[in-house]
Amino acid sequence: MKLLTILGARPQFIKAATISRAIAEHNQKQSDCLIQEKIVHTGQHFDANMSDVFFEQLDIPRPNHSLGIASLSHGAMTGRMLEAIEGLLLAERPDFVLVYGDTNSTLAGALAATKLNIPIAHVEAGLRSHNLAMPEEINRVLTDRVSDYLFCPTATAVANLQSEGFPFSTSHRQKQQIENVGDVMYDAMLYYQERAKNMVQLSDWGVEEKSYALCTLHRQENTDDPKRLKDILSALRTIAVNICPVLLPLHPRTRKKIDVLKGDSWLESIQILEPVAYLEMQRLEMDANIILTDSGGMQKEAFFHQVPCITLRDETEWTETIDSGWNILAGADSNSIINAIENANAIKKVSIYPYGKGSAGIKIVESLLDL
Ligand code: UD1
Ligand code: UDP
């Protein structure tokens, strides 16, 4: 079976690592139905610390094709990726295309494949923020609609699809196949957490266990609105001055926006880091007092590590993290963020296990082989 994986952005490398590992395990055990995986890297994320470092640290096979398409508007980026991926699909003729999550690389891969009637498997299907102003929501709704196999991370994701009338028919199937397989990022965390504990020292950042706040910030709705960006950074500064050190590995998007706005003074008192690698991030997360983020992946990882999280958005797709009491939606208002810090520990935590048992990768590979 020949599988073409399409990826391009940081969270997709982490998700793909789980599936590539499951494919390698399958191929070691079985010689009669080998899976050949070819990887297309669109180039959407290209700095070494946003891309190469994940391939090295997580043993992801090197991409077979690198498209080098980045730093463009949504339409231009998606359009150029669509054209380039179409050419590759015609040359490679895979049995399946595998896409992850909700980025422009995801949508371009799904559109290219569906126009050529090549079956698509979507990993992390069914997530919804119900906010179509988000580029990610547009990408995931459209990708879900044209995908043949919808691998959902949670029961909520399955219910979201059902409430929208899924399953639909596609060019290949009378009915899309929907399956709750669990979360591939949970698999990754379970697999790498011991390594992160053993190999990464907190002293590298001059902090001690449970004595600091960890923040990441990159969503368009926060970075491209100077008021929201300034309000969030002002809250972080208040926390750094009055409560505990704040570590902020800065996404290149956010760095660029702050540079354009000449907002370097907004970063005063905050410990600014370059983006860190996966093991470093897991270590920083598990020992943080609190995590503040607008990242999808980080909200979940805070829950996996049982660290309280404050989400710097007005809604989230990962509603289970809120239901469990580990996550609070604070938006971008400084006062709401500070209030949330004060409430985070007081909120009653509920033991729930919504993300599977760490076997999402194997389940996806088994399902693809059955199809
Ligand atoms: C993208 C995804 C977002 C995801 C995020 C993960 C879309 C629409 N958005 O957002 O859903 O949460 O990735 O991190 O696909 N840049 C660099 N170096 C890099 C990568 C990006 O300088 O290695 C710069 C680009 O030049 C651009 C900006 O960051 O100016 C934004 O990059 P882009 O890929 O368009 O979107 P992200 O904000 O990274
Ligand atoms: N991450 C990382 N280094 C960083 C920031 C994030 O390794 O400096 C990891 C994080 O642990 C999670 C994933 O990247 O596994 C989340 O990706 P990101 O926040 O870029 O995108 P999102 O999940 O919001 O789409």
Side-chain angles (χ1 to χ4, degrees), residues 44-47 50 71 103-104 136 218 251-253 256:
Q44 182 169 351
H45 286 177
F46 51 89
D47 292 339
M50 294 291 288
S71 310
T103 72
N104 290 343
E136 292 83 4
H218 70 272
H251 192 288
R253 175 189 199 97
K256 285 184 179 173

Side-chain angles (χ1 to χ4, degrees), residues 10-11 14 54 102 185 216 218-219 249 251 275-278 281-282 285 294-298 301:
R10 176 168 64 190
I14 295 154
F54 296 97
D102 53 23
M185 291 184 90
T216 71
H218 70 272
R219 289 296 176 138
H251 192 288
V276 297
Y278 181 75
M281 185 47 110
Q282 296 313 300
E285 287 176 356
D294 58 7
S295 155
M298 298 268 302
E301 288 169 349

Side-chain angles (χ1 to χ4, degrees), residues 32-204:
D32 53 339
C33 183
L34 292 180
I35 301 175
Q36 183 193 18
E37 184 186 28
K38 292 236 174 164
I39 297 182
V40 179
H41 188 326
T42 61
Q44 182 169 351
H45 286 177
F46 51 89
D47 292 339
N49 60 15
M50 294 291 288
S51 176
D52 288 359
V53 72
F54 296 97
F55 284 82
E56 284 153 21
Q57 205 174 56
L58 308 182
D59 296 321
I60 308 167
R62 286 275 142 198
N64 301 86
H65 304 279
S66 295
L67 305 180
I69 300 168
S71 310
L72 297 162
S73 63
H74 288 288
M77 188 190 291
T78 313
R80 285 191 207 171
M81 286 176 185
L82 172 59
E83 185 177 7
I85 294 168
E86 181 178 64
L88 286 178
L89 291 176
L90 288 169
E92 292 279 1
R93 286 277 157 209
D95 297 303
F96 284 103
V97 162
L98 195 55
V99 293
Y100 293 90
D102 53 23
T103 72
N104 290 343
S105 299
T106 316
L107 179 62
L111 283 178
T114 194
K115 294 259 182 177
L116 293 173
N117 290 344
I118 298 172
I120 304 162
H122 184 203
V123 175
E124 213 178 77
L127 272 281
R128 294 292 183 266
S129 66
H130 306 288
N131 175 4
L132 269 169
M134 289 176 67
E136 292 83 4
E137 185 77 354
I138 299 165
N139 291 341
R140 54 173 91 98
V141 167
L142 297 177
T143 300
D144 280 343
R145 178 59 189 86
V146 297
S147 293
D148 299 274
Y149 308 104
L150 298 163
F151 293 121
C152 298
T154 60
T156 311
V158 174
N160 286 340
L161 291 174
Q162 287 166 343
S163 73
E164 290 174 20
F166 283 79
F168 296 106
S169 61
T170 65
S171 58
H172 280 275
R173 295 179 71 87
Q174 284 292 84
K175 237 168 131 186
Q176 294 169 310
Q177 182 164 315
I178 301 175
E179 198 179 337
N180 176 8
V181 290
D183 191 312
V184 288
M185 291 184 90
Y186 185 49
D187 290 26
M189 188 282 297
L190 291 176
Y191 188 79
Y192 287 106
Q193 65 176 343
E194 281 308 310
R195 225 179 281 186
K197 263 188 218 156
N198 295 331
M199 290 174 58
V200 184
Q201 312 303 324
L202 282 183
S203 53
D204 289 353

